[in-house]
Amino acid sequence: MACIRLKENCEFNGENTYRHVHAHLPNYARPHFIRIKSAIELTATFKYRKVQLMEEGFNPAVIKDCLYILDEKENTYVQMTQAIYNSVKNHHFRL
């Protein structure tokens, strides 16, 4: 999973992001999930708060941020829904 903050007045484009990731990252380094946050939280020593993100996982019922999943068949990132989440948990949607 990658957690990013968009520039002001920018919107996430799943197709462009997929093309960029596919062109610049090897298969093993491509994020299956992209989480869009309004602000990146830091610790007192200016490190990223990753533990909370890991604990929240990728359940759309828990996460209030926008969350996208890599769809290799469509060559894009699509918004995560509860149905997709259930498919992943039941091993019907392969990562």
Side-chain angles (χ1 to χ4, degrees):
M1 180 181 295
C3 181
I4 61 173
R5 180 179 169 266
L6 298 176
K7 289 183 180 179
E8 250 183 73
N9 300 323
C10 288
E11 291 190 22
F12 181 79
N13 185 314
E15 293 176 14
N16 288 345
T17 304
Y18 174 83
R19 283 195 299 267
H20 180 80
V21 165
H22 190 74
H24 297 285
L25 294 174
N27 285 342
Y28 63 87
R30 295 177 188 153
H32 288 277
F33 301 97
I34 295 182
R35 183 172 174 174
I36 310 294
K37 296 212 33 107
S38 57
I40 303 296
E41 299 164 2
L42 300 173
T43 66
T45 57
F46 303 105
K47 296 178 185 171
Y48 294 114
R49 289 187 173 252
K50 297 177 276 192
V51 174
Q52 180 184 0
L53 296 174
M54 290 186 322
E55 289 173 352
E56 291 174 351
F58 61 96
N59 186 346
V62 174
I63 297 172
K64 302 303 179 220
D65 304 316
C66 292
L67 182 65
Y68 296 87
I69 186 168
L70 176 64
D71 187 345
E72 292 280 359
K73 292 178 184 173
E74 298 294 323
N75 296 337
T76 188
Y77 281 91
V78 295
Q79 184 136 17
M80 177 68 106
T81 62
Q82 193 64 42
I84 295 173
Y85 175 78
N86 292 336
S87 295
V88 171
K89 292 302 262 183
N90 295 328
H91 304 287
H92 294 114
F93 188 99
R94 292 191 46 108
L95 297 179

